[in-house]
Amino acid sequence: MKTPTMRLDRLLANLGYGSRREVGQMVAAGLIVLDGARLRDPGERLPLTTDLPERMHVGGAPIDPPPPLTLIVHKPLGVVCSHREPGRSIYELLPQRWRRREPTLSTIGRLDVDTTGLLLITDDGALLHRVISPRAKVRKRYLTTLDRPLSGQEAAIFAAGELVLEGETEALAPAMLEPLSSTTAWLTITEGRYHQVRRMFAAVGNHVVALHRDRIGGLDLPADLGSGEWRLTTSENLASIFAGDHAA
Ligand code: URA
């Protein structure tokens, strides 16, 4: 397949470095370097290869990764998964200019403000839809800490695929509960309905006091990724989301 190309000024503007005019000024100032040579023409077409960050520098720093870009984020408590909602946004954890990227970065599904753990952020719309589509049945695993002891009935109720959440008419898909103690359990679900885990426990008379997602499909939250930290995904990471027995 032929490698797509893009004008230098458009490439940098889409990566959030500035308007095309500002990028033109950066080029004129000799700030853009490719393979060791200063680029002089903002209209020059460049091949969009994945090795661009190794070959191209902006003001002495490697250029940001071009699309498609997907990040693994360890979401901390107290941040919202939205560009617009009030409160501290998950996007504030990323470099500021990434908020001006085109295509824009979005979270793959959302975690509540008081949920922590594994969150994916991407500019790849096809990937996003593949992960969140209920038909794809990608499993999401949550560590749930409960206010009251489990009764012992919950695993069967969740597994039956007959539970209808308050205000809804369609039963939830079967979900798997694995108790760890009287008040803690893993819950694995394949959908992503609004506040789903909290509402599932509310439906059985309990209350979630802490919620942490540690796995999406076969992709685990890396043990060495601290709260509030993020990293780029590898192709292996992306493949593991849809891998084998982790996707139903
Ligand atoms: N279910 C919830 O209730 N909250 C989340 O953040 C994720 C799943």
Side-chain angles (χ1 to χ4, degrees):
M1 201 175 78
K2 209 161 160 262
T3 309
T5 63
M6 192 179 278
R7 278 178 64 111
L8 171 60
D9 53 1
R10 174 130 184 261
L11 170 68
L12 292 179
N14 285 359
L15 291 175
Y17 284 95
S19 64
R20 275 165 81 162
R21 198 168 64 83
E22 287 163 339
V23 168
Q25 289 162 352
M26 291 161 73
V27 175
L31 294 176
I32 322 296
V33 172
L34 179 66
D35 297 330
R38 285 201 177 128
L39 295 179
R40 290 291 178 201
D41 176 8
E44 180 177 346
R45 294 197 77 89
L46 301 177
L48 294 178
T49 53
T50 49
D51 63 357
L52 222 43
E54 285 121 66
R55 298 172 49 211
M56 192 164 170
H57 289 77
V58 180
I63 190 175
D64 294 337
L69 175 64
T70 303
L71 311 171
I72 299 181
V73 186
H74 185 161
K75 180 191 175 293
L77 265 184
V79 304
V80 296
C81 290
S82 161
H83 286 284
R84 277 175 293 274
E85 265 172 47
R88 188 162 171 243
S89 155
I90 193 81
Y91 299 102
E92 291 176 37
L93 300 176
L94 308 179
Q96 198 168 6
R97 67 171 165 269
W98 289 17
R99 276 175 249 169
R100 297 189 297 268
R101 282 177 68 108
E102 273 300 329
T104 51
L105 288 164
S106 316
T107 62
I108 299 187
R110 287 187 178 193
L111 293 177
D112 299 336
V113 65
D114 42 8
T115 301
T116 58
L118 176 58
L119 181 72
L120 298 170
I121 293 184
T122 193
D123 59 13
D124 182 344
L127 174 73
L128 188 148
H129 289 293
R130 235 184 119 198
V131 178
I132 66 172
S133 158
R135 263 175 290 133
K137 295 201 172 109
V138 174
R139 295 181 183 184
K140 275 85 56 174
R141 187 171 82 160
Y142 293 87
L143 178 62
T144 53
T145 306
L146 303 163
D147 190 30
R148 288 184 276 282
L150 290 160
S151 71
Q153 309 297 309
E154 296 87 349
I157 294 171
F158 294 163
E162 291 168 4
L163 185 65
V164 179
L165 294 176
E166 202 175 306
E168 297 193 5
T169 50
E170 198 187 328
L172 292 174
M176 183 169 65
L177 185 79
E178 300 166 274
L180 295 166
S181 73
S182 63
T183 55
T184 56
W186 295 116
L187 178 64
T188 303
I189 62 176
T190 58
E191 301 165 290
R193 301 200 201 176
Y194 183 65
H195 292 332
Q196 181 169 338
V197 174
R198 293 172 203 278
R199 291 164 71 212
M200 286 173 74
F201 280 101
V204 293
N206 213 324
H207 177 69
V208 172
V209 292
L211 192 56
H212 176 84
R213 181 162 70 188
D214 82 322
R215 184 179 286 167
I216 298 175
L219 175 67
D220 286 330
L221 179 66
D224 60 348
L225 191 68
S227 175
E229 293 180 346
W230 57 272
R231 66 176 58 139
L232 305 182
T233 47
T234 61
S235 48
E236 289 78 24
N237 292 151
L238 293 177
S240 69
I241 296 172
F242 307 101
D245 59 359
H246 289 289

